[in-house]
Amino acid sequence: SSSSSSSSSSTIVEQASNELSASSSSPISSSMANEMTADRQSHALYRKSVKESGVRIIPGNSLGVHHEVANFWQENPFKILAGLGIPTVFYIFRGQNNQKHMQLQSKLMHTRVYGQFAVLTMLLTLMGFKSYMDSWGTFITEEEAEYRVADMERARRDLVERIAFDRKLDERRKQMLRDARKGDNSKPAKKVKKVEKEISGDDEG
């Protein structure tokens, strides 16, 4: 019983695949021409969506050094702050420590005041540039933009093919059920129930 059910299921899947392949290999018609036009429109819409997703597209296949620095600045402002702030505070302390006439407490106090001023200035500068980048978007190459568009088109194409395959599969199952019910007068009722059970089992799988 299980072998006949799996055989029936594989037959349905194979027939649906053949029908889908046959329909996809048919000659170009007006419907396919409309489909190509729709694909071009979809490509334009996907590209517009990429441009409006918070990026700035740079012609070419590589970014300039200033573009890469700007992107890194936007993504890691606190890393830059730590990388600049710690050496700056250390440099300030070193300068204060060279003044022999001052006590250690005064040196530490001056270092804290100057260090806070320097770090706050860096922080305001870094966050101001980050806000600018957040508003105008990061830099990406033309190649990366096209890759994102192709990825969106591939996801849409896979979804459409999956929906078409599922529709063919569902039609094949319904056709088998109708054929089984038509032979209800000549076949026992158990046979019809068996086919219904196999189809419902395929739906659950």
Side-chain angles (χ1 to χ4, degrees):
S1 175
S2 60
S3 61
S4 61
S5 175
S6 60
S7 175
S8 174
S9 175
S10 61
T11 302
I12 295 174
V13 173
E14 185 178 355
Q15 290 174 345
S17 300
N18 292 336
E19 290 180 8
L20 190 61
S21 299
S23 62
S24 62
S25 60
S26 58
I28 296 178
S29 59
S30 59
S31 62
M32 292 194 69
N34 294 334
E35 197 172 310
M36 292 171 65
T37 303
D39 288 340
R40 287 194 295 269
Q41 293 175 349
S42 298
H43 181 87
L45 288 174
Y46 290 150
R47 183 172 177 82
K48 182 180 178 182
S49 176
V50 170
K51 291 179 67 175
E52 295 177 352
S53 64
V55 298
R56 282 180 283 182
I57 301 175
I58 304 300
N61 299 331
S62 61
L63 295 176
V65 176
H66 59 293
H67 294 138
E68 295 179 355
V69 170
N71 288 343
F72 183 82
W73 191 326
Q74 181 193 17
E75 296 174 1
N76 307 282
F78 293 107
K79 287 183 180 180
I80 298 176
L81 179 63
L84 296 177
I86 294 174
T88 300
V89 172
F90 179 77
Y91 179 78
I92 293 172
F93 175 75
R94 183 179 178 183
Q96 293 296 317
N97 195 38
N98 290 333
Q99 302 184 23
K100 304 298 182 181
H101 65 281
M102 294 179 60
Q103 296 181 355
L104 180 60
Q105 185 176 1
S106 299
K107 295 177 182 179
L108 292 175
M109 184 178 296
H110 288 179
T111 300
R112 182 177 66 84
V113 173
Y114 296 148
Q116 283 181 344
F117 176 76
V119 170
L120 286 175
T121 302
M122 293 178 190
L123 178 62
L124 291 175
T125 303
L126 290 170
M127 298 311 294
F129 187 77
K130 175 177 168 51
S131 298
Y132 163 77
M133 290 292 293
D134 289 341
S135 300
W136 291 93
T138 56
F139 297 103
I140 64 171
T141 61
E142 184 78 24
E143 183 180 13
E144 185 176 353
E146 287 298 324
Y147 176 80
R148 294 187 183 185
V149 171
D151 193 48
M152 297 170 71
E153 289 177 337
R154 183 168 54 253
R156 173 183 174 274
R157 186 167 56 250
D158 291 343
L159 178 61
V160 171
E161 289 178 356
R162 179 62 184 175
I163 291 174
F165 180 79
D166 289 343
R167 187 180 294 116
K168 293 285 186 182
L169 198 60
D170 188 58
E171 290 175 358
R172 177 60 57 185
R173 289 170 177 167
K174 290 180 180 179
Q175 183 62 41
M176 288 185 64
L177 185 58
R178 285 194 296 267
D179 292 343
R181 286 175 176 170
K182 284 180 182 178
D184 191 16
N185 296 329
S186 59
K187 297 181 180 179
K190 290 183 178 180
K191 182 66 176 177
V192 178
K193 290 182 179 180
K194 181 180 178 182
V195 174
E196 291 177 348
K197 185 176 180 181
E198 290 178 358
I199 295 175
S200 64
D202 292 341
D203 291 337
E204 292 176 358

